Amino acid sequence: MLIAIAIMALGAVVLGAALGFASVKFKVDGDPLVDKIEAILPQTQCGQCGYPGCKPYAEAIAKGEADINLCPPGGAEGVGKLADLLGREAKPLDGVEKPPQVALIDENTCIGCTLCIQACPVDAIVGAAKQMHTIVESLCTGCELCLPPCPVECITMEPIQETVDTWKWKYPVVELKRVA
Amino acid sequence: MGLMQLFKFKGGVKPATNKAQSVTLPIAKAPLPSVVAVPLHQSIGGTPRPLVQVGDKVLKGQMIGEADGWISAAVHAPTSGTVREVGMYAAAHPSGLLTDCVVIEPDGEDRWIERQSVDYKTLTPEQVRELLRDMGVVGLGGAVFPSHAKTQASRSVPMEELVINGAECEPYITCDDLLMRERAAEVVKGIAIFRDLLQPKKVLIGIEDNKPEAAAAMAQAVQAAGEDFQVVSVPTLYPAGGAKQLIRVLTGKEVPANKRSTDMGVQCFNVATAYTAWRALGHGEPVISRLVTLTGNVAEPRNYEVLIGTPMDELLAIAGPKADTDGIIMGGPMMGFLVPEAKAPVVKATNCLIAHSPALFPPKAPEMPCIRCGSCAQVCPHELQPFEMYWFARAKNFGKTQEYNIFDCIECGCCSFVCPSRIPLVQYFRFAKSEIWARERDKKAADGAKTRFEFKQLRDEREKQEKAEKLAKAAAAQAAKKAAEAAAAAAAEGGAPAEAAAAPAAQSPEEAAAAAKKAAIAAAMERAKAQRAQAQPQNTDDLAPAQQQEVADIEARRARLRDIAKTELAHPEAHPAEAAPAAPADDGQTPKN
Ligand code: SF4
Ligand code: SF4
Ligand code: SF4
Ligand code: SF4
Ligand code: SF4
């Protein structure tokens, strides 16, 4: 187990360096419009827009090949921002907006087949072959791509609960009970 | 006392102080509550790790949550008893949500752990800081920032002033006043701890001039202790007790929002924080209780020494809330909030509970449009333009609110207090701030996801390439073996598969990948050649004449084949993938990135 972790850590370091290099290399010929569009997309990488990730969808929008209302995780707010950026009319979302969610593995049922790891686009799942797998909640984008490959169907999606730290003050439309 | 030159901060208001009600009686000890619920996260920074489990017996003062980092502070059992729950419990928070708590059922004995006083002067500053953290000493003025993390002077700026905050400017609240009146000697000992850690040139204790008894008690205690701290009366003007305002009044220094006060050679602690620091080091008592003012719509307003974790409704009952009480305000009327869940526990930040009634806090008439009178800007102690921030917060144009420095706003409520249109300005600012924070969280998460996604794509790409190279090597080796072993028939068939496999490899769309592949292929061919060259002499040793004839035939055919290959290489369009065996057939759909 320790060796496995060490190998994974080493791999992460080496590949991380490669990634750093690649990101520097790829930055050079980035299209500024694509970058701006991509910055609005939520990076869930779920493919619901019909493209294999947020960047391809951003490229398609930039080329005028795709409409701006195809990203359900971005929701109506995302469509509005894209419309603002591109000077187009906002339109209703083509798809269903869901509340933010994360995947949860039933660790007693998991058989450690690693299929979900391969499916997860953002490396949010940790585990080694034949060992129980776990989803790192803070890294999971809720894309649902790990659900279909799991042979024992032990992954479920759970809505993200509001906590004291993520709670937001509400817009003061209706006067709540006031203190002062 | 009083001879010092004082400075002024901009703005400020003078709301009715309503302090007289709760100072007539001395501090009393609140009775042991039926249950204590101690939230693990009670300070700015990390959330302490729970150290106990359901069923554990704990003693008063026993650490039940351990600091999980430097900016974090331990929490302790406020009384002896049995742990009933380690989990979610009502939070002392405007959201009314739950938070991680250790719920203890008191056994009634209130039995302490073994307490040890330490002579902190024999410890290194580092050890003292660690001790303060493990004793759970945090800012009790309301900000609950871990105190130990504020006791390090800047490396480049000498510490000039240590400001001790006894201003207590918020209406209704009198717990610091009573603390200074009754326990001044121990407050002074606590101030000495901070002084020894920070080594400032001066120590200035600021007390609003509506608390002469407290100021006198403090001055006397300072003298009795032989210290050279200065007790300074500051004009009563809300929010003089804001750290930045008090620093301004006493030193003339403006601490910009993006700077630490130590970068300006000044640091500020509340008097109650100093008191708990002394109890922690001098008596071995962690922060398990604090003074809380019970006031407002109650029969007997008074200050109580209250165990952290005491349910607020149970506590307020001691002061005898009147029949028309319809809520509890935690904190003062300017900056406090209505507690959504009455059983929420008292925490280290709870300095005051006000029984709310419609008579005491009449509901305001509805909000009217902003008339741009500018009153809000005149009273803002941070020289902000509340009406502009309000305008943009209302329109949810958060970028603009930030341009107007919304994060400098301390939510003191001066602007709402004076607004003739009764606009709940602070509510709009809180709304805007929490939206901006949420967006920043989302943005950070999205950036992380993007980086990991690109990383994964790169890794998949590499793996695919490595696989391709491996396959290429294997295929080349296979071909070489065949060529070496095969006799006449092999020669006839040798060219065919090569051409058959050539077609799919031609589809690879990625130039870089193709180049890499070509290099790999070339390398593989080189190796195969070398192998062949090596293999030949071995094969031709000790051969019978007939075999030698065969070999000669093979060589001749090979020479012919090589000639054919050469002509084909000269016209690559005709057979684009000359290195057929090296290109695996499944590599046609390298994802375009
Ligand atoms: S639907 Fe939205 S989040 Fe999902 S991949 Fe497409 S752009 Fe990204
Ligand atoms: S864990 Fe599942 S839902 Fe979460 S990001 Fe990975 S594939 Fe998507
Ligand atoms: S796909 Fe399912 S069974 Fe396989 S490792 Fe993932 S969670 Fe476990
Ligand atoms: S005090 Fe009220 S009405 Fe006057 S400018 Fe400010 S927000 Fe507008
Ligand atoms: S609440 Fe904010 S904007 Fe209003 S007066 Fe106080 S600091 Fe200024």
Side-chain angles (χ1 to χ4, degrees):
Chain A
M1 184 65 185
L2 272 179
I3 292 177
I5 291 171
I7 290 172
M8 279 162 99
L10 184 70
V13 168
V14 171
L15 295 175
L19 174 66
F21 172 72
S23 69
V24 169
K25 209 179 132 198
F26 294 153
K27 271 273 140 59
V28 182
D29 43 11
D31 177 344
L33 181 61
V34 172
D35 287 350
K36 273 189 202 147
I37 296 172
E38 208 195 350
I40 294 172
L41 299 176
Q43 307 298 328
T44 307
Q45 314 294 0
C46 61
Q48 288 180 71
C49 51
Y51 294 84
C54 302
K55 182 140 190 193
Y57 178 44
E59 285 165 347
I61 294 178
K63 280 191 213 142
E65 287 167 4
D67 218 331
I68 57 172
N69 62 344
L70 304 180
C71 170
E77 195 178 329
V79 179
K81 281 188 192 163
L82 288 173
D84 280 350
L85 173 70
L86 301 165
R88 292 198 212 162
E89 277 300 309
K91 42 171 80 175
L93 184 71
D94 185 4
V96 193
E97 215 172 317
K98 276 190 203 166
Q101 50 179 6
V102 288
L104 196 74
I105 292 180
D106 172 4
E107 293 169 357
N108 295 320
T109 315
C110 170
I111 53 168
C113 69
T114 77
L115 289 176
C116 55
I117 295 199
Q118 292 164 43
C120 178
V122 294
D123 287 342
I125 308 180
V126 291
K130 298 201 185 116
Q131 273 168 7
M132 171 198 89
H133 284 49
T134 308
I135 289 168
V136 183
E137 203 182 306
S138 61
L139 303 183
C140 172
T141 65
C143 70
E144 301 188 10
L145 292 180
C146 52
L147 301 190
C150 179
V152 291
E153 293 185 14
C154 66
I155 312 179
T156 49
M157 302 304 295
E158 300 286 330
I160 296 178
Q161 299 291 333
E162 200 172 38
T163 69
V164 169
D165 296 320
T166 59
W167 176 80
K168 296 191 280 186
W169 287 92
K170 303 296 172 280
Y171 188 75
V173 192
V174 192
E175 270 282 58
L176 301 166
K177 252 191 202 168
R178 296 212 359 100
V179 162
Chain B
M1 182 163 164
L3 289 173
M4 224 181 92
Q5 189 213 339
L6 292 183
F7 300 83
K8 270 200 166 127
F9 63 91
K10 270 266 302 185
V13 294
K14 290 191 173 178
T17 59
N18 281 306
K19 288 175 186 273
Q21 300 93 312
S22 54
V23 296
T24 51
L25 295 168
I27 299 167
K29 201 166 170 238
L32 204 59
S34 61
V35 65
V36 288
V38 184
L40 288 167
H41 189 234
Q42 288 194 59
S43 66
I44 303 283
T47 302
R49 284 181 288 263
L51 298 175
V52 290
Q53 288 174 334
V54 173
D56 285 0
K57 299 257 183 254
V58 292
L59 291 175
K60 185 183 178 92
Q62 180 179 332
M63 196 192 284
I64 54 177
E66 168 192 42
D68 67 333
W70 187 241
I71 308 292
S72 183
V75 290
H76 304 78
T79 184
S80 59
T82 311
V83 176
R84 285 283 169 244
E85 207 182 319
V86 179
M88 301 304 263
Y89 196 89
H93 191 267
S95 65
L97 290 168
L98 309 181
T99 189
D100 278 313
C101 286
V102 175
V103 182
I104 299 166
E105 187 186 311
D107 59 14
E109 291 173 27
D110 214 23
R111 203 144 41 87
W112 272 100
I113 44 159
E114 203 182 304
R115 282 164 287 174
Q116 268 179 336
S117 85
V118 294
D119 178 6
Y120 72 90
K121 289 184 180 160
T122 64
L123 303 177
T124 66
E126 250 349 280
Q127 287 170 319
V128 177
R129 287 185 192 107
E130 248 168 63
L131 201 54
L132 288 173
R133 183 189 62 173
D134 294 342
M135 286 292 191
V137 178
V138 302
L140 295 185
V144 285
F145 193 88
S147 301
H148 65 275
K150 287 174 65 183
T151 56
Q152 200 137 29
S154 152
R155 239 165 271 187
S156 50
V157 186
M159 266 304 291
E160 277 160 3
E161 300 100 350
L162 172 59
V163 168
I164 299 299
N165 192 343
E168 198 165 52
C169 60
E170 171 112 24
Y172 283 95
I173 308 176
T174 58
C175 57
D176 287 348
D177 185 357
L178 267 284
L179 176 79
M180 291 186 284
R181 290 189 199 195
E182 296 187 17
R183 304 178 187 176
E186 296 193 285
V187 174
V188 168
K189 283 183 177 158
I191 296 171
I193 297 173
F194 293 141
R195 187 265 325 272
D196 290 342
L197 287 169
L198 283 162
Q199 310 203 328
K201 295 199 183 92
K202 286 194 260 189
V203 177
L204 306 168
I205 304 167
I207 301 171
E208 267 191 352
D209 57 14
N210 61 3
K211 289 181 266 298
E213 297 88 347
M218 286 296 288
Q220 207 183 8
V222 167
Q223 207 182 21
E227 298 285 5
D228 60 354
F229 310 158
Q230 271 175 278
V231 178
V232 188
S233 264
V234 301
T236 298
L237 178 65
Y238 181 84
K244 289 198 173 165
Q245 284 67 41
L246 190 63
I247 288 174
R248 166 87 193 147
V249 168
L250 293 179
T251 71
K253 290 178 181 173
E254 293 272 3
V255 182
N258 56 354
K259 268 200 169 175
R260 271 182 300 221
S261 52
T262 45
D263 293 337
M264 308 280 294
V266 56
Q267 186 57 289
C268 182
F269 290 96
N270 182 270
V271 282
T273 313
Y275 172 77
T276 53
W278 166 250
R279 295 301 298 186
L281 300 188
H283 297 266
E285 287 174 16
V287 183
I288 53 159
S289 67
R290 67 155 298 145
L291 297 191
V292 181
T293 308
L294 301 184
T295 184
N297 195 39
V298 294
E300 199 179 73
R302 186 172 188 171
N303 282 283
Y304 287 87
E305 173 101 41
V306 180
L307 295 184
I308 302 297
T310 302
M312 290 187 188
D313 50 359
E314 217 177 303
L315 176 62
L316 194 66
I318 302 168
K322 295 177 193 162
D324 58 339
T325 299
D326 62 352
I328 304 174
I329 297 168
M330 174 173 139
M334 299 294 282
M335 293 184 76
F337 62 90
L338 214 39
V339 179
E341 174 55 67
K343 72 166 185 179
V346 165
V347 291
K348 290 177 187 175
T350 311
N351 48 9
C352 179
L353 296 184
I354 304 176
H356 183 282
S357 74
L360 210 52
F361 300 99
K364 275 197 188 174
E367 143 183 7
M368 303 283 285
C370 169
I371 53 169
R372 295 183 85 82
C373 65
S375 309
C376 50
Q378 270 164 26
V379 297
C380 176
H382 280 258
E383 300 180 48
L384 302 173
Q385 285 170 298
F387 56 91
E388 299 283 10
M389 300 196 305
Y390 155 67
W391 183 256
F392 291 115
R394 204 180 127 102
K396 301 186 188 173
N397 187 341
F398 302 119
K400 277 282 184 190
T401 62
Q402 276 179 286
E403 279 175 36
Y404 280 97
N405 298 320
I406 195 167
F407 283 103
D408 286 358
C409 166
I410 56 167
E411 298 172 19
C412 67
C414 290
C415 50
S416 307
F417 182 75
V418 297
C419 176
S421 294
R422 302 176 298 264
I423 300 171
L425 293 158
V426 179
Q427 286 190 30
Y428 280 99
F429 304 155
R430 286 173 171 165
F431 157 74
K433 285 185 194 177
S434 60
E435 283 294 330
I436 294 167
W437 279 323
R439 266 146 233 253
E440 264 165 29
R441 273 197 305 273
D442 289 352
K443 181 87 187 94
K444 234 172 115 186
D447 286 349
K450 180 172 183 250
T451 313
R452 292 194 310 279
F453 178 62
E454 286 170 355
F455 176 42
K456 179 168 167 114
Q457 278 192 322
L458 193 83
R459 198 178 56 211
D460 287 352
E461 184 81 357
R462 263 181 57 125
E463 272 165 14
K464 204 171 250 174
Q465 260 184 45
E466 278 167 7
K467 218 184 194 170
E469 271 172 43
K470 249 192 219 153
L471 278 173
K473 270 185 216 164
Q478 191 72 28
K481 213 165 134 197
K482 259 191 197 149
E485 293 173 350
E493 287 164 18
E499 285 190 22
Q507 295 163 5
S508 174
E510 181 75 22
E511 271 184 26
K517 220 176 282 163
K518 247 183 210 159
I521 289 161
M525 285 175 87
E526 274 313 308
R527 278 195 296 276
K529 222 180 183 174
Q531 239 172 330
R532 238 175 336 211
Q534 241 181 8
Q536 254 169 355
Q538 283 165 10
N539 274 354
T540 46
D541 290 347
D542 304 324
L543 291 176
Q547 283 171 315
Q548 265 169 351
Q549 181 53 43
E550 244 178 48
V551 170
D553 283 349
I554 290 165
E555 285 295 345
R557 269 185 223 111
R558 275 200 188 128
R560 268 207 312 282
L561 271 176
R562 269 197 286 271
D563 280 343
I564 293 169
K566 255 184 215 152
T567 38
E568 288 195 352
L569 275 175
H571 307 280
E573 296 88 359
H575 296 276
E578 58 273 50
D586 68 315
D587 206 33
Q589 9 74 351
T590 309
K592 192 168 182 171
N593 188 12

